[in-house]
Amino acid sequence: VRADELWEEGTRILSGAGIPRPRWESLLLLTRASSLSRERVLAHPETEVEEKAQALFRVWVRRRAGREPLAYVLGEAEFMSRPFLVTPACLIPRPETELLVEASQEFLASRAFSGGRVADVGTGSGVIAVSLALSFPSLVVYATDLSPEALEVARQNARLHGVEERIIFLAGDLLEALPSFLRRSLLLLVSNPPYVREGEWESLPPEVRREPREALVAGPRGTEVIERLVFGAREFLLPGGMLALEIGLRQGPTVRSFLRRAGYSRWEVRRDHAGRERVVLAWL
Ligand SMILES: C[S@@+](CC[C@H](N)C(=O)[O-])C[C@H]1O[C@@H](n2cnc3c(N)ncnc32)[C@H](O)[C@@H]1O
């Protein structure tokens, strides 16, 4: 079959399934399944696609038409301009989480000694832990998650990027996963925790509901996990250490009240490009 015919076939199926950019996604799936470049498909639409690639392309189009997220179909997502493996066992990294990583990088870079220990709690695919380990070659990262399957994906990503020797993977419930010798010794405790309200789950797009519910939903209020982290982080941070959290839309005021009650001396809230509060940084 010719490349343009397959592209068209995929576009038709994806469009019928209500996928927003069917032509673009169909071409992406075709080039990944066939290892033909976009330029090749556009300049030589008559190129014959091998049978194996055709079969793979059709399986992928069917999965995507069933509203499986594109990243799960491809097994890959981009974060901080780097490729990361993803499976349905972990959350797909979001662009807004790059704000959290950038704020963390700024803080670590501002310390004269940028080595030391940091923790990424709820590491998922490991994007935060791996990005920080790559930026600071003498940093040791403790990456935790409740899900052993997600930790396995994180471990593979650490290996893929050559930083597995400086990331320690720990399974467990939030800060309980951290060994007690880390008390008062973390320079940075960073987390993109679940912060969706239970009642919100049903109204999320079908693709989002294919991601692990535990990675997104925190409880009836949505701020339950953030609250535990704000209070629990105190005993793990070094004096002058920083807590960095991603938060949900409109959670800023609640999170500020947690910080006040937990006795942090100073905090800063960062906004995304749309002006929404998304990242909270706090110091003891
Ligand atoms: C929003 S995802 C973030 C994943 C990844 N850090 C990222 O930014 O893409 C939250 C992660 O926290 C984990 N998680 C949820 N509840 C947890 C708990 N009580 N203890 C440890 N990890 C938890 C989930 O398994 C999930 O991987």
Side-chain angles (χ1 to χ4, degrees):
V1 185
R2 291 166 52 127
D4 57 349
E5 289 170 16
L6 275 178
W7 182 10
E8 198 44 53
E9 176 186 321
T11 304
R12 200 165 2 93
I13 295 170
L14 295 179
S15 155
I19 303 294
R21 296 158 75 199
R23 262 185 89 65
W24 183 86
E25 288 205 15
S26 178
L27 180 58
L28 180 67
L29 292 172
L30 179 61
T31 54
R32 294 293 185 94
S34 64
S35 54
L36 293 171
S37 66
R38 292 172 89 79
E39 293 69 28
R40 173 87 200 179
V41 174
L42 295 170
H44 298 280
E46 73 289 356
T47 306
E48 282 294 312
V49 178
E50 281 176 40
E51 238 164 81
K52 258 172 91 178
Q54 281 177 41
L56 182 59
F57 172 71
R58 289 190 168 122
V59 168
W60 282 358
V61 167
R62 202 172 326 124
R63 285 173 59 187
R64 184 64 188 112
R67 302 307 292 253
E68 197 172 332
L70 188 61
Y72 286 162
V73 174
L74 295 172
E76 193 183 292
E78 200 182 86
F79 186 79
M80 306 287 296
S81 310
R82 294 191 181 98
F84 285 87
L85 306 171
V86 292
T87 76
C90 63
L91 187 93
I92 299 163
R94 304 292 202 270
E96 53 269 28
T97 304
E98 296 187 355
L99 288 176
L100 181 66
V101 171
E102 285 159 8
S104 301
Q105 288 172 332
E106 267 173 47
F107 171 72
L108 293 171
S110 75
R111 311 287 297 205
F113 170 62
S114 56
R117 296 158 164 169
V118 311
D120 170 21
V121 178
T123 196
S125 61
V127 287
I128 300 173
V130 169
S131 300
L132 293 179
L134 282 168
S135 303
F136 301 96
S138 51
L139 206 62
V140 174
V141 186
Y142 293 82
T144 82
D145 210 286
L146 201 50
S147 155
E149 294 81 17
L151 281 177
E152 194 40 52
V153 177
R155 201 173 275 124
Q156 288 185 40
N157 279 317
R159 215 171 294 137
L160 175 71
H161 290 288
V163 290
E164 73 272 33
E165 263 135 50
R166 288 185 294 114
I167 303 185
I168 293 133
F169 296 95
L170 303 161
D173 185 19
L174 297 187
L175 306 177
E176 283 169 25
L178 299 175
S180 54
F181 70 80
L182 286 182
R183 274 162 215 259
R184 295 183 68 76
S185 76
L186 295 178
L187 191 51
L188 168 73
L189 195 154
V190 58
S191 180
N192 171 19
Y195 51 69
V196 172
R197 274 186 293 112
E198 268 165 11
E200 240 176 295
W201 176 253
E202 289 303 321
S203 62
L204 296 174
E207 277 88 352
V208 177
R209 279 183 282 127
R210 299 293 278 270
E211 297 183 82
R213 194 177 188 277
E214 325 75 71
L216 289 158
V217 175
R221 285 173 289 130
T223 48
E224 288 83 351
V225 178
I226 294 177
E227 182 173 17
R228 287 176 61 200
L229 288 170
V230 165
F231 282 86
R234 291 179 307 190
E235 54 176 307
F236 285 97
L237 290 174
L238 272 174
M242 182 173 86
L243 171 67
L245 299 173
E246 181 169 321
I247 63 168
L249 303 182
R250 293 178 292 280
Q251 291 178 339
T254 310
V255 178
R256 281 189 192 82
S257 78
F258 295 154
L259 291 164
R260 203 170 298 123
R261 274 202 284 127
Y264 286 79
S265 62
R266 195 160 64 83
W267 51 83
E268 185 186 321
V269 182
R270 299 249 176 126
R271 295 167 187 271
D272 63 17
H273 312 295
R276 298 171 299 207
E277 297 186 329
R278 296 315 308 264
V279 167
V280 170
L281 310 174
W283 296 266
L284 281 173

